[in-house]
Amino acid sequence: MRFANDFIFGGATAAYQCEGSTREYGKGKVAWDDFLAEKGRFQANPASDFYHQYPVDLKLCKMFGINGIRISIAWSRIFPDGTGKINQQGVDFYHQLFKECHKKGVEPFVTLHHFDTPNTLFQKGDFLNKETVDAFEKYASYCFEEYKDEVTYWFTFNEIWAVCTNQYIEGTFPNGEKYNMTKAFQSMHYMMLAHSKAVLAYKKGDYKGKIGIVQSLEYKYPYNENKLEDIIAAKNEDVLQNQFLLDATFLGYYSDETLKIAQKLCALNQGMLDIEESDLEIMKKAAKENDYLGMNYYQSRFIQAYDGENDIYHNGTGEKGTSRFRLKGVGERMNKEGIDRTDWDWLIHPESMFDMLVRIKQQYPQYKAIYITENGMGYKDDFEDGIIDDTPRIDYVRRHLYYLLKAIEAGVNVKGYFIWSLMDMFSWTNGYNKRYGLFYIDYKTQKRYPKASAYWYKYISQTKELF
């Protein structure tokens, strides 16, 4: 089983999770700064100190055959207040970073928003406020022009679903609210509108590169496939996470089925989704211009019908078996016999990556290309005199790459794979004990150590053969 010679084997990062220097060098505040301080558990400083250590990390990329890197630009490092005054130090930092990428032969794939709206805009309602939509379009347009000679591959947003569910349903992100599906759907819609405006601005600029969006997807199976109520529950959650955003991405509007279920779920909060025809006109134009989809894929879900009280508990410590997700009138996430889980209760079910890729090809045949922009395993790595044996991570990635190749054989156009993550980083709701990286970081010294998975990944990237 071989990958194409031009297949990208990359590593993924995110600005707030790796850069550190969250309030230095002119960077403006984001809501996470105060939120983490209030929680008192951990901070994103120095994280992986990528702001200073990126030459080391890019050297490791070159040494280990990693030919692509996902990088996000911190919006508030460019525009400290989201709009208005520009921070030249921030602008120059990314010029230097992209220059070093090309020097080391590592192609940058750049995301404009990775969970970090500038605080000034966040406090005005974030993406529930159309002022933020317009501000994002202006920020994106500035970046397109500023970095036009250095960036070929752009993504607008990372994981719109994760932003909205964690802000308005699970309550684990700043200003966290729980169980409000109306706000989640509305925010998803406006973020897709912002994406669409940015895509159209990019195409109007006639730039030489390509542009798309990263969505976090999880295949939803009925817990009991012979029970109609479980089939309905699985479809409820599929629309909530997957189909609503996939429709917006590839169609530029919401199908009758999607809209019916979305409005039904909003009604559980005595709410209604507000979609203006002018929004859809913009989204329809942009849907034809997307060059690719970035798909972040970690797990699947098995859903059974549930009509009890809302009950969600987030496992942020790695205490296996503690997570719960039950939404009244939507469904309950269940464990499935025979399917293992990580310590954070994420199902290890690589077959579902194949199912999701084939589903996109069949349901949205107008798609052009897909990159797996994140996939990996959070693990409590043991450090023994510089030796990090993370065999379970190797097994996890190998199995997902196998089903990725099966999807390619089935005709899905997948152009690359980015492991989450390049190096260990700060994790939004888990701090530092949940490690994903190919490279272990001693956070006290900031020294990098290749894990066993880094050597394995090097072989795959250089030979294009899965073993």
Side-chain angles (χ1 to χ4, degrees), residues 284-464:
K284 288 175 187 175
K285 291 178 183 177
K288 300 174 183 177
E289 302 291 347
N290 288 306
D291 294 305
Y292 41 67
L293 171 71
M295 185 174 101
N296 290 359
Y297 202 90
Y298 292 94
Q299 63 170 324
S300 61
R301 304 286 188 181
F302 290 83
I303 314 297
Q304 76 172 7
Y306 181 76
D307 202 35
E309 293 305 309
N310 292 318
D311 179 25
I312 294 177
Y313 180 81
H314 171 69
N315 174 3
T317 61
E319 186 179 347
K320 197 169 184 176
T322 59
S323 62
R324 299 187 303 277
F325 190 97
R326 300 164 179 152
L327 280 176
K328 184 176 183 178
V330 179
E332 176 182 6
R333 295 174 181 173
M334 305 292 291
N335 296 320
K336 192 75 169 177
E337 186 177 350
I339 297 177
D340 198 9
R341 293 169 287 151
T342 71
D343 286 343
W344 285 265
D345 294 318
W346 293 27
L347 299 182
I348 303 174
H349 191 221
E351 301 94 317
S352 65
M353 175 184 278
F354 173 89
D355 289 345
M356 182 58 75
L357 287 168
V358 172
R359 179 237 181 123
I360 291 170
K361 180 179 184 292
Q362 293 177 339
Q363 188 172 350
Y364 304 97
Q366 63 271 64
Y367 90 101
K368 296 171 185 172
I370 297 173
Y371 288 90
I372 302 300
T373 37
E374 286 183 27
N375 175 250
M377 182 182 181
Y379 188 62
K380 299 170 184 174
D381 293 307
D382 291 323
F383 183 91
E384 296 183 12
D385 296 325
I387 298 172
I388 307 99
D389 181 1
D390 58 342
T391 299
R393 180 176 291 114
I394 294 173
D395 180 64
Y396 175 99
V397 175
R398 178 193 288 114
R399 292 169 62 191
H400 281 82
L401 287 177
Y402 172 82
Y403 281 100
L404 173 54
L405 276 171
K406 296 292 284 185
I408 292 172
E409 289 179 355
V412 185
N413 184 25
V414 184
K415 304 292 287 183
Y417 174 93
F418 293 79
I419 193 168
W420 185 268
S421 51
L422 178 63
M423 64 288 200
D424 292 338
M425 296 189 291
F426 165 78
S427 183
W428 305 95
T429 59
N430 304 282
Y432 292 97
N433 72 325
K434 190 179 188 183
R435 294 176 179 265
Y436 279 93
L438 292 174
F439 304 106
Y440 186 98
I441 291 185
D442 181 332
Y443 290 110
K444 292 182 179 179
T445 65
Q446 288 299 324
K447 186 173 180 179
R448 275 74 167 142
Y449 298 86
K451 302 177 187 178
S453 58
Y455 293 97
W456 177 84
Y457 197 65
K458 178 180 180 178
Y459 179 88
I460 302 298
S461 66
Q462 290 182 338
T463 65
K464 303 296 189 292

Side-chain angles (χ1 to χ4, degrees), residues 16-33:
Y16 197 80
Q17 293 180 263
C18 71
E19 282 181 2
S21 302
T22 56
R23 297 301 308 284
E24 297 179 291
Y25 308 109
K27 185 178 186 292
K29 182 186 285 190
V30 299
W32 285 97
D33 297 326

Side-chain angles (χ1 to χ4, degrees), residues 147-161:
Y147 303 113
K148 62 184 177 183
D149 297 324
E150 298 155 282
V151 177
T152 302
Y153 300 95
W154 292 96
F155 294 102
T156 52
F157 288 95
N158 178 79
E159 296 191 346
I160 286 177
W161 161 250

